[in-house]
Amino acid sequence: MKHTIRGKYMLLISGLLGFMILVICLANSLYLERYYIYERTKDMVETYEEIDTILQSGNLLEEGTSLRVMRLLEKANISALIGSTEQDVAFQFGYENQLEQQMRDLAYGKGGETAKLVKRTDSYVILRQNDEKLQTNYILFFGFFSDGCICFLRSSLPSIRESVMISTRFAWLIGLVVILISIVVVSLISRRISGPIVRLSQIADRMAHLDFSVRYEEEREDEIGLLGTSMNYMAGELERRIGELRRANAQLRMDIEEKVQIDEMRKEFISNVSHELKTPIALIQGYAEGLLEGVGDDPESTAYYCEVIVDEAVKMNQLVRKLLTLNQIESGLNSVEPVDFDLIPVINGVLHSFNLLLQQKEIAVEFDAEKKLPVRADEFMLEEVVRNYISNAINHIGGERRIAIYTEQDTDHVKVSVYNTGQPIPGSEMDNIWQKFYKVDKARTRAYGGSGIGLSIVKAVMDSHGGSCGVCNMDDGVCFWFELRRLELPAVIPAFGLSVSRGISNE
């Protein structure tokens, strides 16, 4: 409590009031008696001067003059004895015998030991006397008026010390009451002052914990209201700036992660390319060195060596071509040029290019070529997708050695599925087959010259078209599919031969 503004206000004001009351009590004890005597002395001098003024314009024997003097003495609470040279006593007010006796005693020097000089002038003398019999203090005034009359004034002093003690006790009592009332009032005022400051402190604490939704809602026109408005503005600015910083950090984190992924992909790409090219280069080098050293002297051995070299060179050429195609698609260099066409003739054209290979491997193909499948896409890229799917189905054929191509379409999309009998793909490999250079059965892939890039090209083409692709295992085989947005073609559809006249080479 003492460390809060409210507590400090209460302690400060209470201490200040206590100090002021202490000063008042000390002043009462030390100076009240002197001050009271000073005031009574001053009153007696003023009374003396006013009587002297009255006597200059009249005589005490006159009723009007004496009445004016009596009123003046009554008002000042002063007893008086005024005499002249012509008569013993001209005027007396209050305590007649006592005043006369006291004046005679002073005149003859009696009681002087109990009298103390207060003030002396050429016209008068003021004494303070303590009457031990009556236990009373007096202020005695002895002087002469302008007309030569003797003036003796007396004013009794009450018990000054007792009055001072009473006044001091009263001051302490009033002071304690004032302190208690002040504590209550200061508590209420300080609560009103410190309350908004406490709320501002709480707002600052929440802002320190990055909660910038809090606002100071009181409407004030003083400094606290100005501070609240400034804190609201600061909270809004901090929320906006930190939001921008977070977004920048998130973007930076994404950029760093992307850079790391690119570096990893680059390392993986170099490693995979090196691995894929290592075997054909080694074979070409080995067989070429054999030819140079004359290992195959007969024409048949020489022809065999040359066939191996050519075959491996063709595989490297296909690998490099596919890598270039994939790189162009992924980097955006090979931009999509969509046209409206029928996909059925494209599929027929690809099957026609594989016709010889299908016959050699005794593969049966099922495909309904009488349908129409209008799409809007890059025709050359989509033919590459169909070619990779059919090539993949031929290379992984098994069981009944059958390939089936199905087409579906609804209001918005068309879907093409390529099914082949054979071994299913393990579930753990489903998501990996779309990666570059990934091979489920590396020995089998090597046997037919696969590079593991064909499905990556399919995925890149579908992403560039905003389509989708996937794979699923069937009871006796595997089915690959891709899906594109549907297009309503006009009544005239390009002839079958148009889509196969471009002479796509076999893989």
Side-chain angles (χ1 to χ4, degrees), residues 301-329:
S301 298
T302 301
Y304 173 75
Y305 276 46
C306 290
E307 288 177 0
V308 172
I309 292 173
V310 170
D311 183 57
E312 295 300 326
V314 169
K315 290 180 181 178
M316 285 194 298
N317 180 56
Q318 292 178 350
L319 173 62
V320 172
R321 183 178 64 81
K322 289 185 177 182
L323 285 174
L324 289 174
T325 301
L326 180 61
N327 180 67
Q328 290 175 348
I329 295 174

Side-chain angles (χ1 to χ4, degrees), residues 168-185:
T168 303
R169 286 197 298 268
F170 183 75
W172 278 113
L173 179 62
I174 294 299
L176 290 176
V177 173
V178 170
I179 289 176
L180 292 177
I181 295 175
S182 300
I183 289 175
V184 175
V185 174

Side-chain angles (χ1 to χ4, degrees), residues 71-128:
R71 289 175 180 172
L72 181 62
L73 295 172
E74 180 69 26
K75 180 180 178 181
N77 193 22
I78 295 175
S79 300
L81 183 63
I82 301 174
S84 65
T85 55
E86 289 83 7
Q87 51 187 349
D88 293 336
V89 176
F91 180 83
Q92 186 170 347
F93 178 76
Y95 304 103
E96 299 178 0
N97 296 330
Q98 188 178 2
L99 284 175
E100 186 176 352
Q101 182 64 40
Q102 194 169 18
M103 186 183 71
R104 287 174 180 170
D105 289 341
L106 288 175
Y108 291 107
K110 294 182 180 180
E113 66 278 0
T114 61
K116 182 178 179 181
L117 180 64
V118 175
K119 186 177 181 180
R120 178 192 295 273
T121 66
D122 293 339
S123 302
Y124 58 84
V125 174
I126 300 176
L127 302 173
R128 177 185 174 188

